[in-house]
Amino acid sequence: MTARKIIIDTDPGQDDAVAILLALSSPEELDVLGVTCVAGNVPLDLTTKNARIICELAGKPNTLVFAGCDRPLGRDLVTAEHVHGKTGLDGPDLPDPEMPLQDQHAVDFIIDTLRAEPSGTVTLCPLGPLTNIATAFQKAPDIVQRVQQIVLMGGAYFEVGNITPTAEFNIYVDPQAAEITFKSGVDIVVLPLDVTHKALVTAPRNDAFRALSTPVGIAVAQMTDFFERFDKEKYGSAGAPLHDPCVTAYLLRPDLFTGRRVNVEIETISELTMGMTVADWWGVTDRPKNALFIGDLDADGFFDLLTERLARL
């Protein structure tokens, strides 16, 4: 089987880090063409640093990492240090990266790659705000039809919001970019809070990471130890939800997930509901279905996959 070509667009973030590690541990299935960084959980200088730290932790220092957009299309940047800590990767004590940041802008890398690779063979995997993706689509409209699929973490419907009462963080940070992406016509798979909140790192699951006794396993356990304090306090949950690794896991094992093809629209006008992903779950409008909206997963299967793959690094 030929490995699926992907570009990971990210704003690491502990859960982004685990998503990247899962991808880099699965070269038979996933060919990571590059990691493009965007401002989101923390500012761009930290997301680019964190992405390289994770690539080196994985033993993959030849991974191409690019700096992208440092602010949303039309709004001030909102960050999430209250969740991820001041570095975005608080928890483990990891060394500063030695591998270089590529000179090319992330948006230009996305454009050039989609033009260079055969049409329909590159999947975009956004784990943060959609600024880089939307900017690339606006700058080079010809690439839109060349995208195989977009598999993204973002949005919510039944789980409502985690940064405002109605909006999930990634979409809220740049709702204008999200609107451009969702209206692009590309085949989209959405991993929203509705499913990611079911991917909880309980104590036994985190113990399994730590029991790998490798730098990767220990670092992931330390990341989730730090990350979970916010969610336990906010939601009263048994642990931290691993949002972004759901994207990578979906690429590897779509059979672990279930969802429904629906219309998803992005609210960009009302400040009260700014960034809301309005999913027509019950099909009450005649708006075209533009996304597969995932609602459930086999959590045990998800963590078995994650632990098995992290053990490879």
Side-chain angles (χ1 to χ4, degrees), residues 270-281:
S270 166
E271 281 298 329
L272 183 65
T273 55
M274 180 66 69
M276 184 178 182
T277 44
V278 183
D280 185 10
W281 188 256

Side-chain angles (χ1 to χ4, degrees), residues 18-19 22-23 26 30 127 151 191 199 242-257 297-298 301-303 305-306 309:
V18 180
L22 181 55
S26 307
L30 300 177
L127 310 178
V151 182
L191 285 301
L242 281 182
H243 305 286
D244 295 327
C246 288
V247 168
T248 316
Y250 179 86
L251 295 172
L252 295 169
R253 290 284 307 279
D255 58 296
L256 295 174
F257 298 83
L297 87 163
D298 172 355
F302 170 84
F303 280 97
L305 171 69
L306 187 51
R309 293 302 169 95

Side-chain angles (χ1 to χ4, degrees), residues 11-13 38-44 46-47 50 77 79-81 85-88:
D11 61 336
V38 68
N41 285 323
V42 286
L44 183 66
L46 287 175
T47 64
N50 292 346
L77 177 64
T79 54
E81 288 89 352
K86 66 181 186 302
T87 69

Side-chain angles (χ1 to χ4, degrees), residues 101-154:
L101 192 62
Q102 300 300 306
D103 292 334
Q104 188 178 29
H105 193 281
V107 168
D108 294 325
F109 170 75
I110 292 169
I111 292 169
D112 289 352
T113 302
L114 285 166
R115 285 174 174 168
E117 297 289 342
S119 183
T121 64
V122 176
T123 295
L124 302 178
C125 303
L127 310 178
L130 290 158
T131 316
N132 285 341
I133 308 301
T135 302
F137 285 1
Q138 286 185 314
K139 187 174 180 180
D142 60 287
I143 67 171
V144 175
Q145 63 183 5
R146 302 182 65 84
V147 178
Q148 180 181 16
Q149 196 172 49
I150 295 173
V151 182
L152 68 89
M153 189 278 134

